Amino acid sequence: MSQNYEELDFKKTPIGDLMLRRRRMFQLGDTDIYEVKLGEHYLMTSLFHESESQLARIGLDKTDHEELDIIVGGLGLGYTAAAALEDRHVKSLVIIEYLDAVIEWHQKHLVPLGKTLTEDSRCQIIQADFFAVSRDDTKSFNPEFPDKKYDVILLDIDHTPTHVLNQTNKHFYTEQGLSEFSRHLKKGAVFGLWADGAPEKAFCDHLAKVFSHSESHHIQFENPITGGSSEGTVYTAIRK
């Protein structure tokens, strides 16, 4: 029987104090809720994860490549990667996660999808800075295959293109940053990004200049905490 509140892990990291906790809410009965905080920011919750799943489903739906090599930027609680692995076309999936502690949560099965991801032979988790690698097309997201490019790259790390967890991430969301990043994709490959809130016009304009085709998909989903709905955006773009 779980406690009503339990701190499962706490670590100091280069970008703030990181906490994983499990709790229950009276109105939800015996449902265990897993939450991640970074400093004062709530990064994610298992209570609603439609956004992470929609990122994978919408992103993969945009490609016609038969066998898919995928990168997921940001591990979190694993919902984006798990949704992507449901697609039978996925041949390999590499998750790039900056924080060692988040990787450990999955390896130790402290979070609900830890076993799902770590026991899938197609899935590999690599500790690295997604944004640093994205700027350097002489390196691959997977050091074992330095020349490899990818069919789909899905990103869910920052809140939005303008509300970032670390100021060094801002470069990625510029026209130059996206241009550098695009060289990690195969021709005709897909980039997908989740962000909170409504689409941002400036970022849409950057995507349109770098990629051959881009779209923003407005997503609404139920929020059990507020009793209402929340919104977000999945941006998709196709490499020229």
Side-chain angles (χ1 to χ4, degrees):
M1 183 72 178
S2 297
Q3 302 174 31
N4 287 332
Y5 177 91
E6 184 178 7
E7 185 177 295
L8 299 176
D9 193 28
F10 178 89
K11 292 282 194 322
K12 290 189 175 294
T13 80
I15 56 175
D17 293 340
L18 182 70
M19 178 194 294
L20 171 67
R21 68 187 188 185
R22 180 175 59 200
R23 67 186 180 99
R24 288 182 173 180
M25 297 174 61
F26 175 77
Q27 61 268 42
L28 298 178
D30 293 337
T31 300
D32 283 328
I33 305 166
Y34 292 81
E35 296 175 325
V36 181
K37 286 188 68 179
L38 182 65
E40 296 303 314
H41 297 282
Y42 282 91
L43 293 189
M44 61 206 72
T45 174
S46 64
L47 190 57
F48 47 94
H49 48 81
E50 181 65 18
S51 58
E52 291 93 336
S53 300
Q54 286 287 357
L55 170 60
R57 291 169 186 147
I58 293 172
L60 269 63
D61 187 57
K62 295 297 179 181
T63 180
D64 57 4
H65 294 189
E66 282 299 314
E67 291 190 331
L68 303 177
D69 293 314
I70 299 177
I71 294 291
V72 172
L75 172 55
L77 291 175
Y79 289 103
T80 297
L85 288 168
E86 293 174 1
D87 192 306
R88 64 181 179 84
H89 297 289
V90 175
K91 181 175 68 174
S92 71
L93 186 148
V94 176
I95 303 167
I96 307 298
E97 172 57 47
Y98 179 64
L99 297 172
D100 287 317
V102 177
I103 298 174
E104 289 176 8
W105 299 342
H106 289 263
Q107 292 172 335
K108 294 178 179 179
H109 301 171
L110 290 178
V111 290
L113 293 175
K115 187 173 182 180
T116 299
L117 298 184
T118 57
E119 294 188 358
D120 193 311
S121 61
R122 297 169 296 167
C123 183
Q124 181 179 4
I125 305 173
I126 294 176
Q127 191 283 320
D129 183 340
F130 178 93
F131 299 103
V133 178
S134 74
R135 298 183 69 161
D136 187 352
D137 65 348
T138 66
K139 297 180 180 178
S140 170
F141 283 104
N142 188 344
E144 294 180 16
F145 303 98
D147 299 321
K148 190 166 187 173
K149 297 183 185 297
Y150 294 88
D151 301 283
V152 179
I153 299 181
L154 306 172
L155 179 62
D156 183 8
I157 293 178
D158 291 312
H159 298 295
T160 75
T162 51
H163 183 195
V164 297
L165 297 179
N166 192 319
Q167 292 304 303
T168 59
N169 299 356
K170 282 189 172 181
H171 174 80
F172 176 87
Y173 301 100
T174 66
E175 184 179 343
Q176 181 182 346
L178 291 169
S179 181
E180 294 163 348
F181 158 75
S182 69
R183 295 192 281 268
H184 292 277
L185 290 160
K186 298 176 184 177
K187 290 185 178 179
V190 176
F191 167 51
L193 170 73
W194 167 262
D196 289 330
E200 296 185 10
K201 183 180 183 305
F203 184 67
C204 291
D205 291 344
H206 293 326
L207 288 174
K209 291 176 181 177
V210 174
F211 295 91
S212 61
H213 179 74
S214 60
E215 296 178 274
S216 59
H217 310 262
H218 187 218
I219 307 296
Q220 289 188 304
F221 51 95
E222 292 183 1
N223 186 325
I225 295 177
T226 65
S229 63
S230 295
E231 65 172 354
T233 299
V234 172
Y235 300 91
T236 57
I238 312 294
R239 191 195 167 186
K240 298 176 182 179

